[in-house]
Amino acid sequence: MATSKTVLQVLSGGLPCPHRFDLSFGGLNSVLSICSDVKRRKNRGLVYKKLNNGMRLLGKCRSRGVGAVTSRGKVKCIDRWESMRCKCQKAESFGGATANEWSPVSLPVNGVHGATNIFERGSFALKGNEETQSIEEEAWDLLRASVVCYCGNPIGTIAANDPNSTSILNYDQVFIRDFIPSGIAFLLKGEYDIVRNFILYTLQLQSWEKTMDCYSPGQGLMPASFKVRTVPLDSEDSATEEVLDADFGEAAIGRVAPVDSGLWWIILLRAYGKCSGDLSVQERVDVQTGMKMILRLCLADGFDMFPTLLVTDGSCMIDRRMGIHGHPLEIEALFYSALLCAREMLAPEDGSADLIRALNNRLVALSFHIREYYWIDLKKLNEIYRYTTEEYSYDAVNKFNIYPDQIPPWLVEFMPNKGGYLIGNLQPAHMDFRFFTLGNLWSIVSSLATLDQSHAILDLIEAKWAELVAEMPIKICYPALEGQEWRIVTGSDPKNTAWSYHNGGSWPTLLWQLTVACIKMNRPEIAERAVQLVERRISRDKWPEYYDTKRARFIGKQAHLFQTWSISGYLVAKLFLANPSAAKIFVNEEDPELVNALISANPRRKRARKIFKQPFIV
């Protein structure tokens, strides 16, 4: 358990900076070496980085308290005492290579500077050089070039690192959901410190109020992204300091707060502990507190009758209006997985008893709800086709008053004889029959889907390979919204036209989640087939964010190139296929106690109306 000096002082604002304590642990390869040749100059507190035989200013540490969090969610690299100044050390190695061996690659500072040299190297054939390099080596070089440093420590990877792009938007920021495959890649290589830093620094950003039109969201919300900015100090000439500036959605397109960030953070925290063996991070008091804040935010009572998490449109990977508001499968699968991960990591304390009880109750209800009402196969489709409506009783078969005419014509042809999937959304009088890949894959990984359902989902992917995979894995959803439906549901979104972006586009980053799901079900040949498709063209296409058209033949019309999670998703898939047992860091096996609790609870039982014996006085 963490010592008292790591206590999260939320009320006083004295949040601890992770690099204030020991950032490494014995016997483990450290990714700290990525921020190489950091020296302190004569000017007190200035931090420099050696780049191409030159020195670049990284930040300035001031005497106002280490890691202090200011208003508007900004964390500054500042020191309280001389002995606690940012102690950035000279790099010795990175992934087995010395700093000199990696000297041709200029690592980015704040994700935007010094990263262009890597694209000029002949090994990438971007300038006609005949020298070639394997796709994996290229991917690793590009991933390392995307690393962002804060006070000399690696803290994450930027979303995209295309030197020729004139439309940066927020792709130069570190996104929590985007960093997940990058973090896994580093974990599987034994380079743990970048993940540890990411976990602890994003935790510091969690507790501080963010507002939209004078309104503050619930405490415990994690940011969608953050950026390391170097800002000048008014007190001294030419002096600067680094600031972590978080975006909770108040600057995003659509101004939607991310629901999935906190869920991914919990999942990554567990993976870090399982992969590194370092449980001290999850045992820290501030980490335990942050995890509880996320859980309380998600488990808070509301008006909703369903055990699923009620969210708005655009609150997850599909971050634009796509008609997924309500109870989208992607969020429910991540929610279930995060609850299981948190239950495994929560310290048994008196203050946690009520939270753990609420967590267990939610797991039982959520698993039954998704398995029973979201599942669809040919048999279930025929049941819906024969539904009667307007049933008023506790024993109604059509509990959500679904009208059979909602069954779309495409589904009748799409559903194979063998296979099935979990639908995208369920609300009163509405079933979203679209196939959403991330939600289905993560339902397998987290054991939200039963064993038979998990195999059936993979059977469907194999049977409908031409529709869901085609020439590039894998469609984010199927089918695309077209015509009048596209205009109504998306608001005529020009980026989400049919078979593009989130509207039926193909996303290479989903490859790693497909791989984990296939390994769990002992069917790795499906993932291997998908990896072979990726290797045919993704390097030649310069690692785009997504692909367009039904068969994924075109690079996305607005896709960023050198997209980091396309790069890391491929690497993680290769690493897991080479070492399938490593996939266990994400897999949640079905809990026998949970199954027994679900059976004993028997949600299918007939429910009688409660009769109150005591009169109520109004």
Side-chain angles (χ1 to χ4, degrees):
M1 185 57 66
T3 60
S4 59
K5 68 179 179 180
T6 63
V7 176
L8 180 65
Q9 301 170 359
V10 174
L11 298 179
S12 63
L15 294 172
C17 179
H19 62 268
R20 186 176 163 187
F21 311 112
D22 184 16
L23 282 172
S24 60
F25 30 91
L28 299 176
N29 294 329
S30 174
V31 77
L32 281 174
S33 55
I34 197 168
C35 301
S36 61
D37 293 321
V38 179
K39 298 181 180 179
R40 292 200 172 277
R41 306 301 290 171
K42 193 171 183 180
N43 191 350
R44 178 176 177 267
L46 289 179
V47 182
Y48 287 80
K49 179 178 175 62
K50 184 177 180 181
L51 290 172
N52 297 333
N53 299 320
M55 305 303 294
R56 173 163 289 149
L57 181 64
L58 283 181
K60 182 178 177 69
C61 296
R62 302 292 294 168
S63 55
R64 293 185 300 180
V66 176
V69 182
T70 64
S71 62
R72 303 295 302 159
K74 296 180 176 64
V75 176
K76 295 185 177 181
C77 172
I78 45 186
D79 274 342
R80 180 173 292 123
W81 298 288
E82 180 73 14
S83 60
M84 290 187 177
R85 203 176 293 151
C86 301
K87 299 178 180 178
C88 309
Q89 302 298 323
K90 181 177 178 180
E92 297 298 335
S93 65
F94 185 84
T98 65
N100 290 332
E101 287 176 313
W102 287 103
S103 58
V105 181
S106 296
L107 297 173
V109 179
N110 302 344
V112 293
H113 299 300
T116 57
N117 282 356
I118 191 168
F119 302 95
E120 298 172 0
R121 294 169 62 184
S123 58
F124 299 103
L126 297 182
K127 288 190 176 293
N129 196 311
E130 294 182 356
E131 183 183 2
T132 60
Q133 202 174 37
S134 73
I135 296 177
E136 287 185 62
E137 290 173 337
E138 175 186 347
W140 273 113
D141 286 348
L142 290 169
L143 179 60
R144 289 179 170 120
S146 70
V147 171
V148 176
C149 294
Y150 175 64
C151 290
N153 293 315
I155 192 177
T157 52
I158 57 174
N161 204 7
D162 183 2
N164 299 317
S165 176
T166 57
S167 177
I168 297 177
L169 295 177
N170 55 358
Y171 281 72
D172 62 344
Q173 299 187 23
V174 180
F175 281 81
I176 287 187
R177 75 172 69 96
D178 290 40
F179 178 74
I180 301 302
S182 297
I184 307 165
F186 286 124
L187 286 176
L188 296 178
K189 279 291 188 178
E191 297 161 357
Y192 307 129
D193 290 308
I194 187 173
V195 181
R196 187 174 193 264
N197 292 345
F198 174 85
I199 290 170
L200 295 177
Y201 276 108
T202 50
L203 176 65
Q204 290 189 16
L205 297 171
Q206 174 195 28
S207 304
W208 295 88
E209 292 185 355
K210 304 296 288 186
T211 60
M212 173 66 185
D213 294 338
C214 305
Y215 179 75
S216 299
Q219 191 181 42
L221 184 70
M222 297 294 283
S225 62
F226 63 86
K227 183 175 183 177
V228 181
R229 292 194 301 109
T230 303
V231 297
L233 287 174
D234 297 333
S235 58
E236 299 180 34
D237 295 336
S238 302
T240 63
E241 64 181 348
E242 285 188 336
V243 174
L244 286 183
D245 195 1
D247 177 15
F248 287 75
E250 78 277 14
I253 297 173
R255 303 302 192 262
V256 178
V259 177
D260 60 342
S261 290
L263 305 177
W264 276 124
W265 186 87
I266 291 176
I267 294 169
L268 182 64
L269 176 64
R270 173 180 178 263
Y272 169 82
K274 282 188 168 293
C275 193
S276 68
D278 173 31
L279 302 182
S280 65
V281 174
Q282 67 188 47
E283 292 173 351
R284 285 176 52 148
V285 176
D286 54 346
V287 173
Q288 289 282 317
T289 303
M291 186 162 43
K292 291 176 184 177
M293 289 170 63
I294 296 172
L295 293 174
R296 290 193 179 100
L297 181 63
C298 293
L299 295 171
D301 293 332
F303 288 98
D304 196 16
M305 290 292 292
F306 303 159
T308 42
L309 200 58
L310 179 63
V311 300
T312 188
D313 219 342
S315 59
C316 53
M317 180 181 175
I318 298 177
D319 57 4
R320 297 168 77 95
R321 179 177 167 187
M322 271 289 290
I324 62 168
H325 55 278
H327 309 86
L329 178 64
E330 175 181 332
I331 290 295
E332 312 315 326
L334 291 175
F335 181 37
Y336 186 81
S337 181
L339 290 178
L340 289 175
C341 293
R343 186 177 66 170
E344 187 177 315
M345 295 184 293
L346 279 173
E349 301 172 345
D350 293 338
S352 302
D354 291 340
L355 186 61
I356 293 175
R357 189 180 303 110
L359 187 154
N360 284 324
N361 291 338
R362 193 63 165 266
L363 282 169
V364 174
L366 181 61
S367 60
F368 173 81
H369 186 86
I370 296 294
R371 293 174 177 184
E372 182 72 11
Y373 303 125
Y374 277 62
W375 180 253
I376 186 169
D377 53 15
L378 198 58
K379 178 183 177 182
K380 183 69 175 179
L381 190 60
N382 198 45
E383 291 178 10
I384 297 173
Y385 181 72
R386 294 172 54 82
Y387 267 170
T388 58
T389 59
E390 316 305 329
E391 294 182 277
Y392 178 79
S393 71
Y394 293 106
D395 304 323
V397 175
N398 186 4
K399 293 180 173 60
F400 302 98
N401 202 37
I402 304 301
Y403 301 105
D405 288 343
Q406 290 182 13
I407 299 176
W410 66 264
L411 181 57
V412 179
E413 303 299 326
F414 178 76
M415 185 64 69
N417 292 326
K418 179 184 178 182
Y421 65 97
L422 295 166
I423 63 171
N425 210 331
L426 175 66
Q427 299 185 73
H430 173 70
M431 295 181 79
D432 186 346
F433 289 102
R434 287 176 291 175
F435 176 87
F436 287 89
T437 302
L438 175 54
N440 275 277
L441 293 179
W442 211 257
S443 294
I444 297 175
V445 174
S446 65
S447 292
L448 177 57
T450 65
L451 186 64
D452 290 340
Q453 289 174 346
S454 298
H455 277 296
I457 293 170
L458 296 182
D459 289 340
L460 177 89
I461 292 175
E462 281 194 305
K464 296 299 175 180
W465 190 266
E467 290 87 350
L468 300 177
V469 181
E471 297 187 26
M472 178 59 66
I474 183 170
K475 289 216 173 346
I476 192 170
C477 70
Y478 182 90
L481 301 172
E482 299 183 271
Q484 186 67 10
E485 187 180 20
W486 164 76
R487 282 187 282 272
I488 293 173
V489 174
T490 73
S492 300
D493 185 350
K495 194 168 185 177
N496 269 333
T497 53
W499 310 108
S500 178
Y501 201 49
H502 295 315
N503 189 16
S506 297
W507 292 70
T509 186
L510 294 171
L511 180 65
W512 77 268
Q513 293 164 81
L514 173 65
T515 303
V516 177
C518 292
I519 289 175
K520 183 192 175 188
M521 304 311 298
N522 197 27
R523 298 171 68 171
E525 67 279 358
I526 300 176
E528 290 170 355
R529 183 181 174 189
V531 169
Q532 290 173 0
L533 284 176
V534 169
E535 290 178 330
R536 290 179 184 177
R537 57 184 293 201
I538 195 167
S539 176
R540 185 183 70 231
D541 293 340
K542 302 179 184 178
W543 306 91
E545 180 183 12
Y546 62 94
Y547 286 81
D548 284 355
T549 73
K550 283 187 178 182
R551 294 194 56 80
R553 300 185 69 186
F554 292 173
I555 297 173
K557 60 185 176 183
Q558 295 187 43
H560 281 71
L561 302 181
F562 301 104
Q563 186 80 13
T564 303
W565 70 350
S566 295
I567 297 165
S568 57
Y570 163 75
L571 286 173
V572 171
K574 293 286 287 187
L575 289 168
F576 278 146
L577 287 173
N579 182 17
S581 62
K584 292 180 180 178
I585 66 174
F586 279 104
V587 167
N588 300 109
E589 298 295 345
E590 191 164 47
D591 187 349
E593 294 182 5
L594 187 62
V595 175
N596 293 334
L598 194 152
I599 295 173
S600 62
N602 191 15
R604 291 188 178 87
R605 71 184 186 277
K606 294 183 179 180
R607 177 186 170 188
R609 185 182 298 275
K610 291 183 179 179
I611 301 176
F612 295 98
K613 296 182 179 180
Q614 296 295 331
F616 288 91
I617 300 175
V618 180

